[in-house]
Amino acid sequence: MKQFNYIFLLMTIALTTQAVQAQNDSVTVKLVTFYPGSEVFSIYGHSEIRVTWDGNDWYFNYGVFDFDEPGFTYRFVKGNADYMCVAVPPAYATMGMQGRRMIEQELNLTPSQAVKVRDFLLNNARPENRKYQYKYLGDNCSTRPRDIIEMATAGVLHYPASTQNVTYRDMMSHYTRNYPWEQFGIDLVLGSDLDKPLDLRQQMFIPMVLMNALDSTTVDRDGHRVPLVKRRDVVVDGSEEGTVMPPTPWYMHPLTAAIALLALTVGITLRDLRRHTVTRWLDFGICTVYSMAGAIIFFLMFVSVREATSPNFNALWVNPFYLIPLALMWSERTRKALKIYHTTNAAVIACTLIAWPMLPQVANVAFFPLMLIPVLRALPHLRDNQK
């Protein structure tokens, strides 16, 4: 990252010089869209704004971050990580995006509107202005160009009517269809706000949606509506699916793993019931994993400022309270307290399973076998305590 920062420093010096010299010459503004890549952080695509004038050519990228910045990981998890607007020359514009389909749309802006975009971006890319708090749904590399275009056109854009009744989770699951564990994690830590219907403008957090919407968008000019996109060029041809990884084999899906763990739990639980024993190593493993996952969910719900993390009904079946049996399972004197915990936890999870179709949150199908596991493991403890 140090070498990359050096490059950014040189770019900033050059850009500052350009900003000082910028005149109201002929300015061309293009929306640049990169289709999905194979890395997890690139599966939703990427947007940039390209501005050219008087021999100058810059790609303004709002998707840059410094992973080496102190505390970045914690602030990223908490939801207040800083991303940057960085101006990149053409030689570096496609760095790390080789093979991905790339489309440029020249925007039909008036000279004054185009200059407004250029001047805003030049100022926004300055070192003292370039940082912003990234939000994966409401403020990202795709929504920023949308907002800048709206700012330049003073709110006289007319987007096409939305023809899809979709939610954030629907759209995200489309792009994670070959990454089931990624979707499993999203479904686990993000709550019911992810399942609210979206209008077209909200759907533009996905770069390809923004690109396609602008093709049908009009702008008011001299009492008429004219197309916002003047020209569309395929700069780099490639699959419209992007360069994503091939589908994950069924035997490596979260559902397969969940069913296998449930089958193991059923077998050991039946053996425990026959022998009037409790397999504590299994309970220890289950409670450890569930409490750790629950701690993450509670952190995101009650500490972080991330979008769509609260309310999260998954907290009803996976939560930090699994630390209670971890502490109680080793002592004979805590049998009664352990029985109370397991009875209460099993009842809450059973009610959650029954009520889930009525809850305003979509569950990953792999969750249901996982919900049954702590219910089953309560049975040996209850029977053991009754001896």
Side-chain angles (χ1 to χ4, degrees):
M1 190 66 191
K2 290 183 179 179
Q3 182 180 4
F4 215 36
N5 283 334
Y6 178 69
I7 294 174
F8 286 161
L9 177 62
L10 295 179
M11 293 178 184
T12 299
I13 295 173
L15 186 63
T16 302
T17 303
Q18 299 295 346
V20 172
Q21 297 176 346
Q23 304 295 327
N24 291 346
D25 303 308
S26 177
V27 180
T28 300
V29 178
K30 297 179 180 180
L31 177 71
V32 184
T33 303
F34 297 90
Y35 278 67
S38 58
E39 301 293 337
V40 170
F41 60 82
S42 66
I43 59 178
Y44 300 108
H46 178 61
S47 296
E48 297 181 9
I49 297 180
R50 182 181 185 181
V51 184
T52 57
W53 77 96
D54 192 27
N56 300 290
D57 191 355
W58 294 93
Y59 289 75
F60 291 86
N61 181 355
Y62 279 92
V64 178
F65 61 89
D66 184 357
F67 190 79
D68 294 328
E69 185 179 1
F72 177 84
T73 301
Y74 173 77
R75 287 185 290 104
F76 181 84
V77 174
K78 188 178 178 182
N80 55 4
D82 288 332
Y83 274 49
M84 294 177 282
C85 171
V86 173
V88 183
Y92 295 97
T94 58
M95 181 182 295
M97 301 184 187
Q98 289 78 4
R100 294 165 61 176
R101 184 176 175 86
M102 175 183 174
I103 290 180
E104 293 187 351
Q105 295 163 290
E106 183 178 345
L107 302 183
N108 186 15
L109 303 177
T110 65
S112 61
Q113 289 171 342
V115 167
K116 193 173 183 180
V117 171
R118 180 198 63 186
D119 292 348
F120 177 88
L121 289 169
L122 286 173
N123 182 63
N124 205 188
R126 294 177 65 87
E128 64 271 24
N129 301 329
R130 66 184 182 183
K131 290 186 177 181
Y132 74 101
Q133 286 197 355
Y134 171 84
K135 297 186 182 298
Y136 49 87
L137 300 179
D139 197 355
N140 61 22
C141 71
S142 183
T143 63
R144 284 262 161 166
R146 176 202 66 192
D147 295 344
I148 292 168
I149 296 168
E150 290 178 347
M151 174 272 299
T153 56
V156 294
L157 291 180
H158 301 280
Y159 295 125
S162 177
T163 59
Q164 289 184 307
N165 183 21
V166 295
T167 65
Y168 283 120
R169 200 181 307 272
D170 292 332
M171 299 184 70
M172 295 171 81
S173 63
H174 171 75
Y175 290 97
T176 58
R177 61 192 180 278
N178 289 359
Y179 301 76
W181 285 101
E182 170 79 6
Q183 188 59 44
F184 178 89
I186 290 171
D187 291 339
L188 184 65
V189 302
L190 299 185
S192 58
D193 284 349
L194 217 62
D195 297 301
K196 295 179 179 179
L198 305 178
D199 59 30
L200 181 59
R201 189 174 183 276
Q202 292 172 310
Q203 296 173 31
M204 293 176 188
F205 80 102
I206 297 291
M208 285 67 66
V209 175
L210 173 65
M211 175 191 69
N212 291 326
L214 293 194
D215 276 337
S216 302
T217 297
T218 58
V219 59
D220 290 340
R221 184 163 304 153
D222 299 327
H224 301 281
R225 290 187 179 183
V226 298
L228 176 63
V229 175
K230 180 187 298 185
R231 177 178 174 179
R232 173 175 173 147
D233 295 315
V234 179
V235 180
V236 177
D237 202 0
S239 171
E240 294 194 357
E241 301 298 320
T243 59
V244 298
M245 300 293 289
T248 300
W250 66 269
Y251 52 84
M252 296 182 65
H253 273 243
L255 179 60
T256 305
I259 291 174
L261 184 57
L262 176 61
L264 175 66
T265 303
V266 169
I268 295 178
T269 300
L270 290 175
R271 187 192 65 179
D272 284 350
L273 291 173
R274 288 195 303 268
R275 298 181 179 181
H276 294 269
T277 59
V278 174
T279 304
R280 286 183 171 82
W281 66 263
L282 178 61
D283 293 342
F284 178 82
I286 292 170
C287 291
T288 299
V289 173
Y290 280 45
S291 63
M292 291 175 62
I296 294 172
I297 290 175
F298 270 52
F299 176 85
L300 292 173
M301 288 177 62
F302 300 115
V303 179
S304 82
V305 293
R306 275 188 167 272
E307 304 162 282
T309 56
S310 182
N312 185 349
F313 291 95
N314 289 317
L316 293 171
W317 66 274
V318 56
N319 50 65
F321 299 126
Y322 284 93
L323 291 171
I324 295 174
L326 277 177
L328 299 180
M329 68 172 60
W330 309 107
S331 174
E332 294 295 324
R333 293 177 295 180
T334 58
R335 280 188 171 188
K336 185 175 181 180
L338 198 58
K339 178 179 179 179
I340 293 173
Y341 170 82
H342 282 298
T343 301
T344 303
N345 190 49
V348 170
I349 295 177
C351 291
T352 301
L353 275 166
I354 295 171
W356 200 282
M358 296 173 284
L359 296 178
Q361 182 172 330
V362 174
N364 191 294
V365 67
F367 291 169
F368 299 111
L370 297 177
M371 290 185 200
L372 290 173
I373 288 173
V375 175
L376 289 172
R377 288 310 301 162
L379 299 179
H381 290 275
L382 300 181
R383 183 165 182 174
D384 181 56
N385 286 333
Q386 292 174 351
K387 292 195 319 180

